[in-house]
Amino acid sequence: MPLGDCTPEQAAWEMASRVLHLLQINPAGLGGLWLRAAHGPVRETWLSVLNQSHAPVVKLPLNIDGPGLQGGLDWSDSLRSGKVSWHSGALSRAQKGLVIVPMAERASGELCAALAQCLDTRELQTLEPGVRRPSNLGVVALDEAEGDEPGLRTSLADRLAFWLDLRSLSLHDAPTFKALAPAEVEAARHHLNQMLPSPDCIERLGQASVAFGITSLRAPWLAWQVAQCHAASEGRNGVNADDEQFALLAVILPRATRMPAVPQHTEAADSEHEDTQTPQHEPASEPAEPAATAQPNDPPPEGQHQDAQSLESIDPSEDLTLESMLASLPPDLLAQCMN
């Protein structure tokens, strides 16, 4: 269902279902999800679909220590065998899947820093000497903060592509949906590996980030990753306008700190532009006859008609590109994303 044809509640849930599908395809590349929702049926419906996604899903307790998170020395096995033995941590068990952080608003700075480092370096910082393991996972931070309570730490939230707020939804607004099948995930990953570059799309997403007052450079990069993943989920090897708009809705708008200023085009500016476009004619050798007074129903002179056509053929500026993007957004959904 197109997001523009939904109510704000339906659009939020449709976005949540698409986010889950994209996290199945590329959890590490997208970083993960900051999900603001109360503990209740809406969140549990979404999590139940996630648990059926055929990918590892590991829940992290808030009191988990470094060895439990990243692995450490297995004392019992070492004493029993007489050899040094190491055990894997929660992050190792979540490879190619997701780790869930419940009550993420209360997560310690150490835990958020460890997860952020894992997302940045794509490596597991194990305690085993001389061993470096690659990391391929995403993070789902479940934030239950209400009102003005502090939420997820910025150090971790900035690295997660998706920020969703489902606190205003009821169970009626959250019908169940299905996760992608393993074959669908593999097909989408194949298209993602064959994705064609699109410098213009990257540039537009960067300009949109600046226009919406976003200072983090991770935002346009994550938006580009989301656009590619969305295209791959649709079976395409290239990003189109729909993928770009989805990335704008999913990544840029939730991070916005201001509304961009849309340029105002006045009649004075247009008339001044027409003057600059009017061709200059050489003076005639003979005196020209006085021009007849124009009547209201007379057709415009030939030169003026050509000027109007030339003005219509002028390419829009970068600001106009952003203006057209904003004009295509559903007003109710935009207001909801800005809350």
Side-chain angles (χ1 to χ4, degrees):
M1 178 185 298
L3 294 179
D5 299 336
C6 304
T7 65
E9 291 77 15
Q10 291 173 335
W13 188 246
E14 178 69 18
M15 178 69 74
S17 63
R18 294 190 191 183
V19 164
L20 192 150
H21 293 163
L22 298 186
L23 289 179
Q24 286 185 258
I25 298 171
N26 188 17
L30 304 181
L33 163 66
W34 174 18
L35 181 60
R36 305 187 69 181
H39 181 77
V42 174
R43 196 181 75 174
E44 291 305 313
T45 299
W46 191 89
L47 290 176
S48 66
V49 180
L50 177 64
N51 292 325
Q52 300 170 8
S53 62
H54 306 282
V57 178
V58 178
K59 183 178 292 187
L60 300 181
L62 291 181
N63 60 350
I64 191 171
D65 57 7
L69 184 67
Q70 300 174 341
L73 187 62
D74 191 335
W75 290 97
S76 60
D77 189 64
S78 298
L79 293 174
R80 183 172 55 254
S81 63
K83 299 179 181 179
V84 177
S85 178
W86 300 87
H87 69 81
S88 60
L91 298 183
S92 297
R93 299 192 297 272
Q95 290 306 302
K96 296 184 179 180
L98 296 164
V99 294
I100 297 180
V101 185
M103 295 187 293
E105 74 280 2
R106 302 182 184 179
S108 64
E110 292 78 7
L111 176 58
C112 291
L115 294 175
Q117 184 181 27
C118 180
L119 294 175
D120 283 345
T121 63
R122 301 285 185 91
E123 288 185 353
L124 297 180
Q125 305 297 322
T126 63
L127 301 179
E128 189 174 354
V131 175
R132 302 177 65 182
R133 294 190 177 93
S135 172
N136 183 15
L137 56 85
V139 176
V140 175
L142 304 179
D143 189 341
E144 301 177 11
E146 297 181 358
D148 296 333
E149 295 178 357
L152 181 66
R153 293 177 182 265
T154 306
S155 59
L156 181 56
D158 190 42
R159 290 164 169 83
L160 309 181
F162 303 111
W163 295 4
L164 287 180
D165 190 343
L166 305 181
R167 291 176 294 180
S168 62
L169 271 64
S170 64
L171 184 59
H172 175 73
D173 303 317
T176 185
F177 61 96
K178 294 183 179 181
L180 295 179
E184 294 175 307
V185 174
E186 290 302 321
R189 288 176 178 174
H190 174 74
H191 287 291
L192 187 60
N193 293 331
Q194 304 295 325
M195 193 61 56
L196 300 174
S198 180
D200 294 339
C201 176
I202 299 176
E203 182 178 359
R204 284 191 294 269
L205 291 174
Q207 292 173 348
S209 297
V210 174
F212 280 100
I214 303 172
T215 58
S216 173
L217 295 179
R218 291 188 181 92
W221 172 251
L222 290 173
W224 164 239
Q225 297 297 316
V226 168
Q228 291 185 102
C229 196
H230 188 268
S233 69
E234 298 291 333
R236 290 182 272 101
N237 295 340
V239 175
N240 63 15
D242 292 337
D243 307 317
E244 188 175 337
Q245 186 184 40
F246 179 83
L248 180 71
L249 290 171
V251 183
I252 302 299
L253 287 184
R255 289 168 161 82
T257 61
R258 69 186 181 198
M259 288 297 294
V262 179
Q264 301 293 331
H265 302 281
T266 62
E267 296 181 0
D270 292 340
S271 60
E272 181 179 348
H273 188 71
E274 290 179 3
D275 294 339
T276 60
Q277 295 292 328
T278 303
Q280 300 294 330
H281 300 283
E282 296 181 358
S285 56
E286 298 181 0
E289 297 181 0
T293 304
Q295 300 298 323
N297 296 327
D298 290 344
E302 183 178 356
Q304 294 182 9
H305 181 69
Q306 294 177 354
D307 291 345
Q309 290 181 343
S310 64
L311 286 175
E312 292 176 356
S313 64
I314 295 176
D315 293 333
S317 63
E318 295 297 334
D319 289 335
L320 289 179
T321 302
L322 179 59
E323 182 181 358
S324 62
M325 293 170 64
L326 290 174
S328 64
L329 298 179
D332 293 336
L333 181 59
L334 178 60
Q336 182 190 14
C337 292
M338 293 298 295
N339 289 334

